[in-house]
Amino acid sequence: MHAPLRFSTDSLPARTRTEAWRALYGREILNVALDPVGEQPFACRFSAHAAGRVAFVRGETSGAVFAKTPDLAGGDELLLIVHGRRHGAVEQCGRRAELAPGDAALLHSAELGRSIHPHGVDFLNIRLPGAELAERLPGVHDRLARTLPALTPALMLLARYTRLVEQLPPSEGLGNAVADHICDLAVLALGALPDPETRASAGAARLALVQADIRRNAWRPELSIGWAAARQGISAVYLRKLFAAAGTSFADFVLAVRLDQARARLADPAWSHRTIATIAFEIGFGDISYFNRCFRRRFGMTPSESRALG
């Protein structure tokens, strides 16, 4: 994974915005033509992320129609368009799919078509390898320009997973794993029968979201497996199985996160004015003796010794 590419028309003169978008996003990323709608100057901002064989772009534009014209059609890629807060539509293969907020639709890079957003749109566009999905999803072309409802569970998980990926630092080692997860979730969202490997990958993506949420909320007294599961819209039983499949448990993971956060604060001069007990309580430990025992067992030293090492 590389650092994201970011683009905004905000700093561009109004008269050059459309051409700048056409040159960068239109021809270099999506290969689509742009026809702005309305009297106001065209406005757009987005960030593009590449992960192995997939890429996704999140952004927003003012009113516009985006078209796959004969000179721009080609290749073998699929584009999953996830709509934002406004209504719009896509057209391809003689079909038209109306998109309400949160809905999605699939388009193919080699087919002529249009994406119509007269009132503007905030969007998530996910570029997928066409040959791979065609092999895993028979009849994928029959799914082009058909509305995928916003409440499709795998679609919701896919959108949330891309949010998690956006928070990751650039890394050479994660691109293929992230691409696997995104392709698996796309296949599930588009209606393929999941094989065991696909279910396992989707579970791994779900678990990654839960773990990221726990790291952000480890300090909360109300943190429990039921609380964490409810925030992801899954059951506590299913979440317990996800942790077990990863070789750990919810309680062990939460304990490890809290201990790691405690050790980081003990080593940070910015926290030197805080007592060890205060740090332990603020991170989520309710018993200082239990905290001391767990800290020594995990790191082979007491919290005081860890702080002294810096």
Side-chain angles (χ1 to χ4, degrees):
M1 290 177 57
H2 302 288
L5 170 67
R6 304 187 188 280
F7 174 84
S8 174
T9 58
D10 291 349
S11 60
L12 298 176
R15 67 180 185 279
T16 65
R17 290 181 177 181
T18 301
E19 289 307 317
W21 189 97
R22 286 169 174 158
L24 178 60
Y25 189 75
R27 294 190 175 273
E28 295 297 326
I29 297 180
L30 278 187
N31 283 329
V32 292
L34 164 67
D35 184 14
V37 174
E39 298 180 357
Q40 296 299 318
F42 176 70
C44 173
R45 61 182 63 88
F46 67 80
S47 60
H49 302 256
R53 61 195 185 279
V54 307
F56 64 90
V57 180
R58 191 186 309 278
E60 57 182 334
T61 77
S62 56
V65 175
F66 308 98
K68 182 68 73 171
T69 54
D71 59 314
L72 295 174
D76 186 17
E77 294 178 327
L78 293 166
L79 181 68
L80 183 63
I81 298 176
V82 185
H83 220 258
R85 292 165 294 180
R86 300 182 180 91
H87 290 259
V90 298
E91 297 174 344
Q92 197 167 68
C93 300
R95 291 190 290 268
R96 179 184 174 96
E98 301 291 340
L99 300 179
D103 289 347
L106 190 68
L107 301 176
H108 196 285
S109 63
E111 300 285 348
L112 304 185
R114 297 195 304 165
S115 181
I116 306 161
H117 312 285
H119 306 295
V121 63
D122 54 298
F123 60 86
L124 168 65
N125 290 344
I126 305 174
R127 192 174 66 195
L128 303 161
E132 177 180 339
L133 262 70
E135 181 177 345
R136 299 176 59 184
L137 190 60
V140 66
H141 280 75
D142 293 334
R143 291 169 166 82
L144 299 178
R146 298 190 187 278
T147 302
L148 185 61
L151 295 181
T152 303
L155 175 63
M156 297 169 67
L157 178 55
L158 175 58
R160 297 179 72 173
Y161 183 71
T162 60
R163 289 285 189 188
L164 174 62
V165 173
E166 288 173 329
Q167 300 172 23
L168 298 176
S171 170
E172 293 297 331
L174 289 178
N176 289 333
V178 168
D180 288 344
H181 290 160
I182 288 176
C183 287
D184 288 343
L185 290 171
V187 168
L188 287 173
L190 292 165
L193 294 175
D195 56 36
E197 289 186 3
T198 299
R199 289 197 300 268
S201 183
R206 173 76 76 179
L207 182 60
L209 290 172
V210 173
Q211 290 173 332
D213 194 40
I214 289 172
R215 291 188 182 96
R216 291 190 297 269
N217 294 282
W219 59 274
R220 292 182 178 274
E222 67 268 28
L223 178 59
S224 66
I225 191 167
W227 184 88
R231 285 170 61 83
Q232 300 296 325
I234 59 178
S235 70
V237 172
Y238 178 56
L239 181 54
R240 192 173 289 111
K241 290 180 179 179
L242 291 180
F243 274 104
T248 185
S249 68
F250 175 84
D252 286 345
F253 181 79
V254 171
L255 176 60
V257 167
R258 286 173 171 168
L259 289 172
D260 287 342
Q261 292 180 358
R263 190 181 192 189
R265 293 188 184 186
L266 291 172
D268 188 345
W271 292 86
S272 61
H273 64 289
R274 302 273 196 175
T275 66
I276 291 174
T278 298
I279 289 175
F281 288 134
E282 289 179 345
I283 283 175
F285 288 94
D287 185 327
I288 189 63
S289 297
Y290 174 69
F291 166 70
N292 288 332
R293 290 196 305 272
C294 292
F295 195 97
R296 178 189 285 274
R297 185 164 57 244
R298 179 171 175 81
F299 301 117
M301 66 182 77
T302 66
S304 297
E305 292 168 340
S306 179
R307 169 169 269 180
L309 289 174

